[in-house]
Structures are given as structure tokens and as C-alpha cells.
Amino acid sequence: MSQPQDPYAAGGGPGRPAHGVPSSVPTPPAAPGYSAPSAPPAPPASVGSAPGAASSAAPAPGAGASQLSPARAGATLGRLGIGNPLPTLVVGALAYVVALGAALVVIVSALLAVFAAGTGDVTGGADPTGGAAPSDGLGWRGVLGLLGIPAQLVSLASFGSYEMEVDLGFLGSMQMSARSMPLLITAAMVLTAFLGARLAQRRWGSSRVLGAVLWSGLSGFGAALFAVIVTRLTAFSLEEESMGLSLSMHSAGADMFFGTWALIGIPLLLGHLAGMEKPSWWPLVADLAAAPRLALVHALTYALPAGALLLLGGAIGMLLEGNGREVLALLLALPIWGLTALGMLAGMGMLVTPVHVNAQGRVEEFGVERMDEFFWFIDLPWYAWLPMVLLSLLVPLLVALLWHRDREIERGNVLAQVVSWAALPVAYFVGALVLLALVWSGMRAVVPMTGSLVLNAGLAAWTPLVAFFLGLWVEVLARFGAPFVDRFVPGLLVNWFRRSARARRASAAQAAGDGESNSAGYPPRASGYPPAPPAHPSAPSGPPAPPGA
């Protein structure tokens, strides 16, 4: 009697037959001691297992949740578009530091201009204390105030006003408030915030719109809070106890706090938005981002030649009169007044927007003539206003050509049509409002036994309205005049405000070329390679015929 053959005797195992056993013989189920690969997980440990086995096999209740909570929180914030805040916070702090550096440039420029003019006195000989020097020197408060002058200038560049209060003892007190923005500092702070945020978004950006709004606002708030504390702590202060005199000067206040917050927070947000990947509907509203850049190009294209001609003519006239030292001082002080003068010229370049100068109060007591007048471009020397008129007529034609070059307007889309007509007028209007606030200067003084004095200078209040119609005129020229000659405009000149459209068209063309290559049987080609050769006309277009057909 033959014995039954063991399927595992010849080296077989569960799931595979032994040598010499036909494959038709079914494999018996796995024994309880074996663990097949497809078997379900092992049951939990029995009560009789080792005491430390259960604790080492499974974590304690709540331990996994506490370990995964930071990751889960990060994933949740990532889904909301809130990424790492560190780059934005660093860029906000860097913007304030760069503004302090620009303030040092302004201080050095003022000192050089004073020494070049030969006065040797930055204050021009004015002494608010009446010539009474403090008996014990400046003191630590005075030294701290001198060291804090850069912070005070940054405060002035952030819409702050410089407050001075002099206590004259029994004579009363004198108060003065002055506001004039050193625009070099403002430009340095704004450009650093914008360019730094755009670079951070493109390289390390993990935030979307919500995160950009949150971290930009927080970074601007932190910079503004730090600025107002530093500005207040470094207030210039002097005291003369023997005569009862005291002097306090600083520019800390609510105006500079909110101004610093806006001048850092808003550029940070715009930089993040500029560095983000554009959505699919972006071409419909792309003109809203390009229009402010064109308005800036328009202003600079007009103001730079007009300002250079005015400066050159004025310098030649002063040299002919023998005032060479004043010319040198004027050039050395260019970082102080240069950008403000360019802003004034950009406003006056509309030909119907004069500069408004107002002097009210007891101005005669201070040697100032009372006035409330408008100064038009025609009041300038002929070598200044004649080029201004020519540039005012020529520059809109040039920027209209730039605006129409490589422009895309989706036909049949109501939103795209509305945005294309409104982008330039709105951008010019908003830009004129910003310009109106930047170039305005004013001073108010209250002197005991003399009276009050109010001086204001700035562009006319109707400047934004004129700028709106100027933007509309450029839009009309771009639509109905530029199409005939814009093909002669080099594409390099429009890269700044049409770069995204050009890149989008290039990527679309490359994607279309790759699709054609794939359909012809060629691998996708990288940019810069020659186009794929077309298929031979005699080659069959369908699938190969079966054998024997």
C-alpha cells in the first residue's frame, strides 16, 4: 500500500508545489504557524505575552496625535494659502533698514551742500533758543537726539510731521509743525519692500493671496511699531534750568505710524502678487497691472528731460551771474529735492495743473508776503516752458504706441472690454492722487506775541481729474492711432509691462509645438531646438496593416 506523498517534502511550501508534483494538485491551506504574504494582519497580543511587548508595539493613546499636530496644522494652513511668514517679515525689516541708509545719504548731501555754499551752518543761523546755550552741554538726551536724526527723517518720509515745541519760560511757548517728504527715502523703502517680496515669493513663496495679505500686513505693522518707538525715544531734547528754557523736537505720531504701515505693507503685498503664478483668467484683467507701470513710464519720460533742461538752464544763468558756489550746493543737494521737483514737473506737464502756494496768518511779521496764488508752467523761464509744451504733446503719442504693442484683448468678453477701457484712466487718476500726497509740503508756526503762520505748497487739487482724462486720451490714441505704426516699436521697450503676456504666448506656442511633435511621432523638443520635421507625405497616416493583408 503506497503512502500519500507529502507536498512539502521535496522543498515545497505553502502556495507552491513540490518538485515532481503536478501543478494541477491543489495547494493545501497554510498551517496556523505560517504567515502568508496575503494573510491579514496578526491579531493583538494575548494576555499571556510579555509585559513590555504591548507598550513597544503600539504607542500610548494621544502620542501620535500630539506628534502629528504640527504637520496637520501646517497642512491646513497650506490649504488656506498661508505659508512661511519668515521671508515677508525679513523683507519688511530690510525695507526699514534700507530707508535708514537712504536717510544717511540725505544727511551727507545736506552737509556737503551747506559747506559748499560757504555758510557752515545747517540751520541757516536760526536759533530757536534765542542764543542761550545750555550750561551743561547737550546731555545724553541731546546726543541721543542727534544719533536719531536718520529715524526722524524716515518718519518724515512716511507722511510724518516734524513737531517742535520751545518753552520760553514767562514769555510763553512756541510751537511749529513742518511736513515735507524726502522722497529718496520713501522710494528706497517702497522699492525694497516690493522687489524683496517679489523675489521671496518666486524663490521660497509658499503663500497664496490670503497668506500674502496676512503676512504683509503683519510685517508692515511690526515695522511701523518699531519705527514709532525708535522715533519717540530718539526725540531731540534740550533743557536750560537756569533760564527755564526747554526744546523738544520729534516726528513720532499717528500719521507716521499709519504711513510706515502703508508704505511697507502695501508694496509687500503687491510684490507677493506680482511673484505668484497667474491664474487662467489673468489675461482678462492683465491691463490693471500694466496700466500703473505705463503711467510711471509716462511721468518719467516727461519729467526727466524737462527737469534736466530746467536744471541746465538755471545752472548756466547762475554761473553767468557769478554764483558758482550756489550751483555746486544745488547739485550736491539733489538727493533732497530732486524727486520732489520731478513730481512737481510731472504734474505741471499736464499744462492745466499749476502749483498752488498759500501763505496765511501773520506772515508779515516773519518777512513773508501774504499770498494765495497759482504758478503755471508759463511762469517758468522760456527755456523751461517751451520744451515742456513740446514734451506734453509728444509723450502721449509715444506711450500710446507702447501701450498698444503686444496688447491682448479678448473679444466678446464683457469683463475684458470694460477693464481694457478703464485700466489707463483709473491708473492715471490713482497715480495723480499719490503724487498729490507725496509732493505736498506745509509748515505751521505759533509764536507768542507775534501770531501764527501757515505755509503750504503743492499741486492743484484738480490734478487727479485732469490725469483721468489724460489716461483716457492715451487709451483712445492707442486704439485708433497706434495700430498703424506700433509694429515699428521694438518689443524690448514693452517688456516691463507686457512681460507676462509675452511669456504666456511663448509657452503656449511651445506647448502647441510639442503637441504637434507628439502627434507626428517625435519626442517633445525643448525651447531653443529647431522645429520637428514634418511627416513624409507618402507615409501612411493610419495604423500598420496586419500581416498578409
Side-chain angles (χ1 to χ4, degrees), residues 45-89:
S46 60
V47 179
S49 58
S55 59
S56 60
S66 62
Q67 293 176 359
L68 296 178
S69 57
R72 291 178 179 176
T76 303
L77 293 177
R79 286 193 297 269
L80 295 176
I82 302 176
N84 184 11
L86 186 60
T88 307
L89 299 178

Side-chain angles (χ1 to χ4, degrees), residues 114 120-128:
V114 167
D121 187 4
V122 178
T123 63
D127 187 1

Side-chain angles (χ1 to χ4, degrees), residues 119-139:
T119 61
D121 187 4
V122 178
T123 63
D127 187 1
T129 62
S135 56
D136 53 350
L138 292 177

Side-chain angles (χ1 to χ4, degrees), residues 18-121:
H19 298 291
V21 179
S23 59
S24 60
V25 178
T27 303
Y34 294 97
S35 176
S38 59
S46 60
V47 179
S49 58
S55 59
S56 60
S66 62
Q67 293 176 359
L68 296 178
S69 57
R72 291 178 179 176
T76 303
L77 293 177
R79 286 193 297 269
L80 295 176
I82 302 176
N84 184 11
L86 186 60
T88 307
L89 299 178
V90 170
V91 172
L94 180 63
Y96 186 77
V97 172
V98 171
L100 290 175
L104 293 177
V105 174
V106 171
I107 293 173
V108 172
S109 173
L111 293 176
L112 293 177
V114 167
F115 291 131
T119 61
D121 187 4

Side-chain angles (χ1 to χ4, degrees), residues 369-455:
E369 181 181 357
R370 183 186 302 269
M371 67 175 67
D372 188 8
E373 298 181 3
F374 294 94
F375 291 93
W376 302 81
F377 71 95
I378 199 68
D379 295 321
L380 296 173
W382 66 269
Y383 55 80
W385 67 260
L386 185 58
M388 288 178 62
V389 174
L390 297 178
L391 289 172
S392 299
L393 300 176
L394 179 62
V395 172
L397 301 177
L398 297 178
V399 297
L401 294 178
L402 297 178
W403 182 242
H404 188 268
R405 182 75 159 85
D406 291 343
R407 191 182 188 189
E408 295 178 348
I409 303 176
E410 186 172 340
R411 300 184 181 276
N413 190 290
V414 178
L415 177 61
Q417 295 295 327
V418 171
V419 168
S420 67
W421 276 104
L424 269 189
V426 171
Y428 276 62
F429 181 83
V430 175
L433 282 177
V434 174
L435 183 63
L436 204 66
L438 291 178
V439 301
W440 187 86
S441 301
M443 187 189 73
R444 179 183 56 84
V446 178
V447 182
M449 298 181 298
T450 302
S452 61
L453 168 69
V454 178
L455 296 175

